[in-house]
Amino acid sequence: MQSTPTHQTELSANIVLLCRFLRRKGFNITATEEADALRSIAVLPIHSEYYFQEALKAVLSKSEFQRSHFDAYYLDFKKQLENASDSKVKEVPEEKRQPEKKSKAAQFEALKDWLNLSPSEEEKEIAASSPIDVLTKKDFLDLSEDEMRLMMRVLQKLARKMAHQKSRLRKKSKRQQHVDLKRTIRTNMRKGGEIQQLVFSEKKNRKLKLVLLCDVSRSMDLYSRFFIHLMYAFQNAYDKIETLVFSTALHRVSTLLDNNEFDTAFRMISDRVPHWSGGTTIGSCLQDFTQNHGHGMLDKKTVVLILSDGWDTGEPEIMKDAMKTIHKKSKRVIWLNPLAGNPEFAPESIGMQTALPYIDILASAHNMESLKSVLQQLRSKRKLPNR
């Protein structure tokens, strides 16, 4: 049974309630889209309900089905609000609302910290209705289709944010935002010392090369689709990135991820890769990578991200030699193992034991929170061994 929305006096609060109401009708509305809806009331003639309703429809509807049903849902929601008002549904006393306010504030802070965003005051109001902070701790295997789509939006935003991080080094800029004092003085010293020209600068982009190697064998079948989502997000965010998948053989799929929508790319990869969901020979696949791809992909600016549970049926020596080469030629080697999310996990398989000495970070990848924690370390330097 659907709950009846309580009466709210603030227009922005009613928009939040409308978004919640539409979610129950199957609309996939995120915190960002709620914020866009809230912003629309600042620029549109809200005294005209027609334009107001059309603006909300444009922001919150994502398909022809949703657009065709939006007006009926809007009227249904409006009637429920009127019924709530007529029934004199009173707002909760201020003193009883304090714990809820604290809860909302805590949820917002968690969401803001998680995404590293700087939302506006209006976004703070709607953050509590966002399920992101809960979903980030939910195992990928337990996500519904709607939740998976929401997580993909978060992942794409995270990938873009990480791809455009800035370094401490600066370069000259035509944008007149930050005056570079040193360059300004140096330039004007050549012109007699008087300040005749201001020089502006901006931070340089921190260039990073990524190589993603994803296990699509049978033992990884439950996680493979999400990891392909991960590779798709990064492939479309980074300029210098190569993506390969493997089971009993290695296949480069960078072009497929670059030039297609995700569902199309996933279908093409699963169709073109022999032995999808088959056995695993990780060592021979990594050996193929070092011998036939490593020369053009590996250098000291490259971070290698391996997504696998480590169940190798090949020869340990082959795995050892391949991992040793990858570690030696790369900036960092990160191994994401979805099984590591289990508190009782230990890297006891022969494949993991063989690879472990050549891995800089071995971490879980069973939910978005664990994944983000590792991805934040992409740009950190490799720790030198103790001597």
Side-chain angles (χ1 to χ4, degrees):
M1 181 178 178
Q2 293 182 359
S3 59
T4 301
T6 56
H7 176 64
Q8 299 285 343
T9 57
E10 295 293 333
L11 180 59
S12 58
N14 286 340
I15 292 178
V16 174
L17 290 177
L18 173 62
C19 292
R20 294 176 184 172
F21 178 82
L22 292 175
R23 281 198 192 93
R24 295 199 296 270
K25 298 294 185 180
F27 282 53
N28 182 24
I29 300 173
T30 66
T32 300
E33 287 149 354
E34 287 185 356
D36 290 340
L38 288 167
R39 291 191 190 98
S40 69
I41 67 176
V43 297
L44 292 174
I46 60 175
H47 58 276
S48 171
E49 185 171 2
Y50 171 79
Y51 291 116
F52 177 70
Q53 183 175 336
E54 288 298 307
L56 293 178
K57 183 195 297 187
V59 173
L60 302 176
S61 300
K62 298 182 181 178
S63 67
E64 187 60 37
F65 176 85
Q66 291 179 355
R67 282 189 288 274
S68 64
H69 286 73
F70 182 89
D71 291 336
Y73 291 153
Y74 179 88
L75 291 176
D76 188 11
F77 172 77
K78 185 178 176 181
K79 288 179 181 178
Q80 291 195 33
L81 275 184
E82 291 172 352
N83 291 337
S85 178
D86 292 340
S87 301
K88 298 181 179 180
V89 178
K90 297 180 180 180
E91 295 181 354
V92 181
E94 185 66 22
E95 61 272 16
K96 293 184 179 181
R97 291 171 57 190
Q98 292 304 319
E100 182 182 359
K101 284 187 175 181
K102 292 180 180 178
S103 175
K104 287 184 177 181
Q107 288 178 350
F108 170 72
E109 290 303 321
L111 177 62
K112 184 181 69 173
D113 292 342
W114 200 93
L115 289 174
N116 291 320
L117 297 177
S118 299
S120 66
E121 290 300 317
E122 289 178 330
E123 287 174 289
K124 291 182 180 182
E125 183 176 355
I126 56 87
S129 66
S130 169
I132 294 178
D133 54 331
V134 176
L135 292 181
T136 55
K137 299 179 178 65
K138 193 172 182 178
D139 195 291
F140 294 141
L141 300 184
D142 298 328
L143 294 177
S144 67
E145 285 297 320
D146 287 342
E147 290 171 339
M148 178 67 81
R149 285 192 290 269
L150 178 57
M151 283 294 93
M152 291 312 102
R153 289 174 60 88
V154 175
L155 183 58
Q156 289 167 7
K157 182 174 291 188
L158 177 62
R160 289 194 298 267
K161 192 174 187 67
M162 297 182 64
H164 295 89
Q165 289 182 345
K166 300 293 185 179
S167 72
R168 294 181 180 179
L169 300 177
R170 305 188 71 87
K171 62 179 181 180
K172 286 186 178 180
S173 174
K174 293 182 180 179
R175 295 191 299 175
Q176 299 181 3
Q177 293 183 349
H178 185 278
V179 176
D180 191 313
L181 186 58
K182 289 184 178 180
R183 285 190 173 95
T184 297
I185 294 175
R186 191 180 301 118
T187 298
N188 287 278
M189 285 294 291
R190 304 189 189 104
K191 299 179 181 181
E194 294 185 8
I195 302 298
Q196 301 179 25
Q197 177 185 354
L198 294 177
V199 180
F200 300 89
S201 67
E202 62 183 354
K203 290 184 177 180
K204 292 183 177 180
N205 289 323
R206 297 177 63 185
K207 295 182 179 180
L208 181 69
K209 293 174 62 177
L210 277 177
V211 170
L212 306 181
L213 296 161
C214 182
D215 184 346
V216 293
S217 63
R218 182 179 296 108
S219 62
M220 285 285 292
D221 198 38
L222 294 175
Y223 287 94
S224 291
R225 183 174 177 84
F226 182 83
F227 282 152
I228 298 295
H229 265 297
L230 168 67
M231 296 190 299
Y232 183 81
F234 275 79
Q235 188 74 44
N236 287 274
Y238 279 76
D239 295 328
K240 297 182 178 181
I241 183 171
E242 291 289 349
T243 304
L244 306 96
V245 298
F246 63 87
S247 55
T248 56
L250 185 72
H251 304 273
R252 181 176 176 270
V253 296
S254 303
T255 305
L256 296 180
L257 296 174
D258 263 338
N259 300 325
N260 296 283
E261 295 293 329
F262 174 78
D263 289 336
T264 302
F266 183 81
R267 184 175 63 254
M268 293 175 70
I269 292 172
S270 58
D271 289 344
R272 294 186 185 185
V273 175
H275 310 297
W276 180 280
S277 295
T280 324
T281 53
I282 302 175
S284 62
C285 292
L286 295 183
Q287 183 185 61
D288 182 4
F289 170 71
T290 59
Q291 293 177 352
N292 301 312
H293 301 277
H295 178 72
M297 297 183 186
L298 290 179
D299 58 37
K300 288 301 181 180
K301 293 182 179 180
T302 304
V303 173
V304 179
L305 198 62
I306 302 175
L307 315 171
S308 174
D309 57 10
W311 289 101
D312 185 27
T313 59
E315 295 294 328
E317 282 301 316
I318 297 178
M319 165 82 90
K320 179 180 179 180
D321 291 342
M323 287 298 300
K324 185 176 182 180
T325 300
I326 293 173
H327 183 267
K328 180 179 180 180
K329 293 184 177 181
S330 65
K331 174 185 176 70
R332 255 189 155 191
V333 179
I334 300 176
W335 191 301
L336 298 184
N337 188 328
L339 303 181
N342 188 327
E344 299 179 359
F345 169 79
E348 296 176 346
S349 66
I350 295 177
M352 289 307 312
Q353 285 289 327
T354 304
L356 205 55
Y358 309 103
I359 297 173
D360 295 298
I361 298 176
L362 172 62
S364 169
H366 68 292
N367 61 24
M368 188 67 80
E369 186 176 60
S370 62
L371 181 60
K372 174 179 177 285
S373 177
V374 176
L375 295 181
Q376 286 181 321
Q377 303 180 58
L378 281 178
R379 296 182 179 276
S380 57
K381 296 182 178 179
R382 174 178 288 165
K383 294 181 180 179
L384 297 176
N386 295 327
R387 295 182 179 180

Short mmCIF file of all heavy atoms in Angstrom, two decimals, residues 285-317:
data_model
loop_
_atom_site.label_atom_id
_atom_site.label_comp_id
_atom_site.label_asym_id
_atom_site.label_seq_id
_atom_site.Cartn_x
_atom_site.Cartn_y
_atom_site.Cartn_z
N CYS A 285 47.40 -15.85 -20.11
CA CYS A 285 46.81 -14.62 -20.64
C CYS A 285 47.66 -13.41 -20.30
O CYS A 285 47.86 -12.51 -21.14
CB CYS A 285 45.39 -14.45 -20.10
SG CYS A 285 44.19 -15.66 -20.69
N LEU A 286 48.18 -13.37 -19.09
CA LEU A 286 49.07 -12.27 -18.71
C LEU A 286 50.40 -12.36 -19.46
O LEU A 286 51.01 -11.33 -19.79
CB LEU A 286 49.30 -12.28 -17.20
CG LEU A 286 48.07 -12.02 -16.33
CD1 LEU A 286 48.46 -12.00 -14.85
CD2 LEU A 286 47.38 -10.71 -16.71
N GLN A 287 50.83 -13.56 -19.74
CA GLN A 287 52.04 -13.74 -20.55
C GLN A 287 51.82 -13.20 -21.96
O GLN A 287 52.69 -12.53 -22.53
CB GLN A 287 52.42 -15.21 -20.60
CG GLN A 287 53.71 -15.49 -21.37
CD GLN A 287 53.99 -16.98 -21.49
OE1 GLN A 287 53.20 -17.72 -22.07
NE2 GLN A 287 55.11 -17.42 -20.91
N ASP A 288 50.65 -13.50 -22.53
CA ASP A 288 50.29 -12.97 -23.85
C ASP A 288 50.31 -11.44 -23.81
O ASP A 288 50.80 -10.78 -24.74
CB ASP A 288 48.90 -13.48 -24.22
CG ASP A 288 48.44 -13.01 -25.59
OD1 ASP A 288 49.22 -12.35 -26.30
OD2 ASP A 288 47.28 -13.29 -25.96
N PHE A 289 49.79 -10.86 -22.72
CA PHE A 289 49.78 -9.40 -22.59
C PHE A 289 51.20 -8.84 -22.58
O PHE A 289 51.49 -7.87 -23.29
CB PHE A 289 49.05 -9.00 -21.31
CG PHE A 289 49.19 -7.55 -20.96
CD1 PHE A 289 48.55 -6.58 -21.71
CD2 PHE A 289 49.99 -7.15 -19.90
CE1 PHE A 289 48.68 -5.23 -21.39
CE2 PHE A 289 50.12 -5.82 -19.58
CZ PHE A 289 49.47 -4.85 -20.33
N THR A 290 52.10 -9.42 -21.79
CA THR A 290 53.47 -8.88 -21.70
C THR A 290 54.23 -9.04 -23.01
O THR A 290 55.04 -8.18 -23.38
CB THR A 290 54.24 -9.58 -20.57
OG1 THR A 290 54.28 -10.99 -20.81
CG2 THR A 290 53.58 -9.32 -19.22
N GLN A 291 53.97 -10.12 -23.73
CA GLN A 291 54.72 -10.39 -24.95
C GLN A 291 54.18 -9.66 -26.17
O GLN A 291 54.96 -9.24 -27.04
CB GLN A 291 54.75 -11.90 -25.23
CG GLN A 291 55.53 -12.70 -24.19
CD GLN A 291 55.47 -14.20 -24.44
OE1 GLN A 291 54.73 -14.68 -25.30
NE2 GLN A 291 56.27 -14.96 -23.70
N ASN A 292 52.88 -9.50 -26.25
CA ASN A 292 52.27 -8.96 -27.48
C ASN A 292 51.64 -7.58 -27.32
O ASN A 292 51.29 -6.96 -28.32
CB ASN A 292 51.21 -9.94 -28.00
CG ASN A 292 51.79 -11.30 -28.31
OD1 ASN A 292 52.81 -11.41 -28.98
ND2 ASN A 292 51.16 -12.36 -27.81
N HIS A 293 51.44 -7.12 -26.09
CA HIS A 293 50.82 -5.82 -25.87
C HIS A 293 51.63 -4.91 -24.94
O HIS A 293 51.50 -3.70 -25.01
CB HIS A 293 49.41 -6.00 -25.27
CG HIS A 293 48.49 -6.81 -26.12
ND1 HIS A 293 47.78 -6.29 -27.18
CD2 HIS A 293 48.18 -8.14 -26.06
CE1 HIS A 293 47.05 -7.25 -27.73
NE2 HIS A 293 47.27 -8.37 -27.08
N GLY A 294 52.40 -5.51 -24.07
CA GLY A 294 53.08 -4.75 -23.02
C GLY A 294 54.01 -3.67 -23.52
O GLY A 294 54.13 -2.61 -22.91
N HIS A 295 54.68 -3.92 -24.65
CA HIS A 295 55.66 -2.95 -25.15
C HIS A 295 55.02 -1.59 -25.42
O HIS A 295 55.61 -0.55 -25.14
CB HIS A 295 56.33 -3.48 -26.43
CG HIS A 295 57.32 -2.53 -27.03
ND1 HIS A 295 58.55 -2.28 -26.44
CD2 HIS A 295 57.25 -1.74 -28.14
CE1 HIS A 295 59.20 -1.39 -27.18
NE2 HIS A 295 58.44 -1.05 -28.21
N GLY A 296 53.81 -1.59 -25.96
CA GLY A 296 53.16 -0.33 -26.28
C GLY A 296 52.29 0.22 -25.17
O GLY A 296 51.88 1.38 -25.21
N MET A 297 52.00 -0.60 -24.16
CA MET A 297 51.06 -0.18 -23.12
C MET A 297 51.71 0.07 -21.77
O MET A 297 51.16 0.82 -20.95
CB MET A 297 49.96 -1.25 -22.94
CG MET A 297 49.09 -1.46 -24.15
SD MET A 297 47.77 -2.67 -23.81
CE MET A 297 47.04 -2.84 -25.44
N LEU A 298 52.83 -0.56 -21.49
CA LEU A 298 53.43 -0.47 -20.16
C LEU A 298 54.59 0.51 -20.12
O LEU A 298 55.49 0.47 -20.96
CB LEU A 298 53.93 -1.85 -19.71
CG LEU A 298 52.88 -2.91 -19.38
CD1 LEU A 298 53.55 -4.21 -18.99
CD2 LEU A 298 51.95 -2.43 -18.27
N ASP A 299 54.57 1.41 -19.15
CA ASP A 299 55.70 2.26 -18.82
C ASP A 299 55.50 2.75 -17.38
O ASP A 299 54.54 2.35 -16.72
CB ASP A 299 55.85 3.43 -19.80
CG ASP A 299 54.62 4.31 -19.88
OD1 ASP A 299 53.96 4.53 -18.84
OD2 ASP A 299 54.28 4.78 -20.98
N LYS A 300 56.37 3.60 -16.91
CA LYS A 300 56.33 4.03 -15.51
C LYS A 300 55.21 5.04 -15.21
O LYS A 300 55.11 5.51 -14.08
CB LYS A 300 57.69 4.61 -15.11
CG LYS A 300 58.77 3.55 -14.98
CD LYS A 300 58.37 2.50 -13.93
CE LYS A 300 59.43 1.43 -13.76
NZ LYS A 300 59.03 0.41 -12.74
N LYS A 301 54.39 5.35 -16.20
CA LYS A 301 53.20 6.17 -15.96
C LYS A 301 51.91 5.34 -15.98
O LYS A 301 50.82 5.87 -15.84
CB LYS A 301 53.09 7.29 -17.00
CG LYS A 301 54.18 8.34 -16.91
CD LYS A 301 53.97 9.43 -17.94
CE LYS A 301 55.04 10.51 -17.84
NZ LYS A 301 54.84 11.58 -18.86
N THR A 302 52.07 4.03 -16.15
CA THR A 302 50.91 3.16 -16.33
C THR A 302 50.53 2.44 -15.04
O THR A 302 51.38 1.84 -14.37
CB THR A 302 51.20 2.09 -17.40
OG1 THR A 302 51.57 2.73 -18.62
CG2 THR A 302 49.98 1.22 -17.65
N VAL A 303 49.25 2.53 -14.69
CA VAL A 303 48.70 1.74 -13.58
C VAL A 303 47.94 0.56 -14.20
O VAL A 303 47.08 0.75 -15.06
CB VAL A 303 47.76 2.57 -12.71
CG1 VAL A 303 47.07 1.69 -11.66
CG2 VAL A 303 48.52 3.69 -12.01
N VAL A 304 48.29 -0.64 -13.76
CA VAL A 304 47.64 -1.86 -14.25
C VAL A 304 46.60 -2.30 -13.22
O VAL A 304 46.93 -2.52 -12.06
CB VAL A 304 48.66 -2.98 -14.51
CG1 VAL A 304 47.95 -4.24 -14.99
CG2 VAL A 304 49.69 -2.54 -15.54
N LEU A 305 45.36 -2.41 -13.67
CA LEU A 305 44.26 -2.81 -12.79
C LEU A 305 43.78 -4.19 -13.26
O LEU A 305 43.26 -4.33 -14.36
CB LEU A 305 43.13 -1.78 -12.90
CG LEU A 305 42.08 -1.74 -11.80
CD1 LEU A 305 42.70 -1.40 -10.46
CD2 LEU A 305 40.99 -0.74 -12.15
N ILE A 306 43.96 -5.20 -12.42
CA ILE A 306 43.55 -6.56 -12.74
C ILE A 306 42.31 -6.90 -11.93
O ILE A 306 42.30 -6.76 -10.71
CB ILE A 306 44.68 -7.58 -12.45
CG1 ILE A 306 45.94 -7.21 -13.25
CG2 ILE A 306 44.23 -9.00 -12.78
CD1 ILE A 306 47.15 -8.09 -12.92
N LEU A 307 41.26 -7.35 -12.61
CA LEU A 307 39.99 -7.66 -11.97
C LEU A 307 39.78 -9.17 -12.09
O LEU A 307 39.40 -9.68 -13.14
CB LEU A 307 38.84 -6.91 -12.65
CG LEU A 307 39.10 -5.43 -12.94
CD1 LEU A 307 38.00 -4.85 -13.80
CD2 LEU A 307 39.24 -4.64 -11.66
N SER A 308 40.03 -9.90 -11.01
CA SER A 308 39.96 -11.36 -11.07
C SER A 308 39.89 -11.95 -9.67
O SER A 308 40.35 -11.34 -8.70
CB SER A 308 41.19 -11.92 -11.81
OG SER A 308 41.21 -13.33 -11.78
N ASP A 309 39.33 -13.16 -9.59
CA ASP A 309 39.30 -13.87 -8.31
C ASP A 309 40.56 -14.71 -8.09
O ASP A 309 40.75 -15.31 -7.03
CB ASP A 309 38.06 -14.76 -8.20
CG ASP A 309 37.95 -15.77 -9.34
OD1 ASP A 309 38.92 -15.90 -10.11
OD2 ASP A 309 36.90 -16.41 -9.47
N GLY A 310 41.45 -14.76 -9.10
CA GLY A 310 42.75 -15.43 -8.93
C GLY A 310 42.74 -16.93 -9.10
O GLY A 310 43.77 -17.58 -8.87
N TRP A 311 41.62 -17.52 -9.53
CA TRP A 311 41.56 -18.98 -9.71
C TRP A 311 42.19 -19.34 -11.05
O TRP A 311 41.53 -19.34 -12.08
CB TRP A 311 40.13 -19.47 -9.62
CG TRP A 311 39.57 -19.38 -8.24
CD1 TRP A 311 38.75 -18.43 -7.74
CD2 TRP A 311 39.83 -20.29 -7.16
NE1 TRP A 311 38.47 -18.66 -6.43
CE2 TRP A 311 39.11 -19.81 -6.03
CE3 TRP A 311 40.59 -21.46 -7.03
CZ2 TRP A 311 39.14 -20.44 -4.79
CZ3 TRP A 311 40.61 -22.09 -5.79
CH2 TRP A 311 39.90 -21.60 -4.71
N ASP A 312 43.47 -19.70 -11.02
CA ASP A 312 44.23 -20.00 -12.23
C ASP A 312 44.42 -21.51 -12.35
O ASP A 312 44.78 -22.19 -11.39
CB ASP A 312 45.59 -19.31 -12.15
CG ASP A 312 46.40 -19.48 -13.42
OD1 ASP A 312 45.78 -19.66 -14.48
OD2 ASP A 312 47.64 -19.43 -13.35
N THR A 313 44.19 -22.04 -13.55
CA THR A 313 44.38 -23.47 -13.80
C THR A 313 45.66 -23.75 -14.59
O THR A 313 45.89 -24.89 -15.00
CB THR A 313 43.17 -24.05 -14.56
OG1 THR A 313 43.03 -23.36 -15.82
CG2 THR A 313 41.89 -23.89 -13.75
N GLY A 314 46.45 -22.71 -14.80
CA GLY A 314 47.69 -22.87 -15.57
C GLY A 314 48.91 -23.13 -14.69
O GLY A 314 48.79 -23.41 -13.50
N GLU A 315 50.07 -23.00 -15.29
CA GLU A 315 51.34 -23.23 -14.60
C GLU A 315 51.72 -22.02 -13.76
O GLU A 315 51.75 -20.90 -14.28
CB GLU A 315 52.45 -23.54 -15.60
CG GLU A 315 52.27 -24.83 -16.38
CD GLU A 315 52.35 -26.04 -15.46
OE1 GLU A 315 53.11 -25.97 -14.47
OE2 GLU A 315 51.67 -27.04 -15.73
N PRO A 316 52.03 -22.23 -12.47
CA PRO A 316 52.40 -21.10 -11.61
C PRO A 316 53.60 -20.30 -12.10
O PRO A 316 53.65 -19.08 -11.92
CB PRO A 316 52.69 -21.78 -10.26
CG PRO A 316 51.92 -23.05 -10.30
CD PRO A 316 51.94 -23.48 -11.72
N GLU A 317 54.57 -20.97 -12.72
CA GLU A 317 55.77 -20.28 -13.18
C GLU A 317 55.44 -19.27 -14.28
O GLU A 317 56.06 -18.21 -14.36
CB GLU A 317 56.80 -21.29 -13.70
CG GLU A 317 57.57 -22.00 -12.60
CD GLU A 317 58.33 -21.02 -11.71
OE1 GLU A 317 58.97 -20.08 -12.24
OE2 GLU A 317 58.27 -21.18 -10.47
#
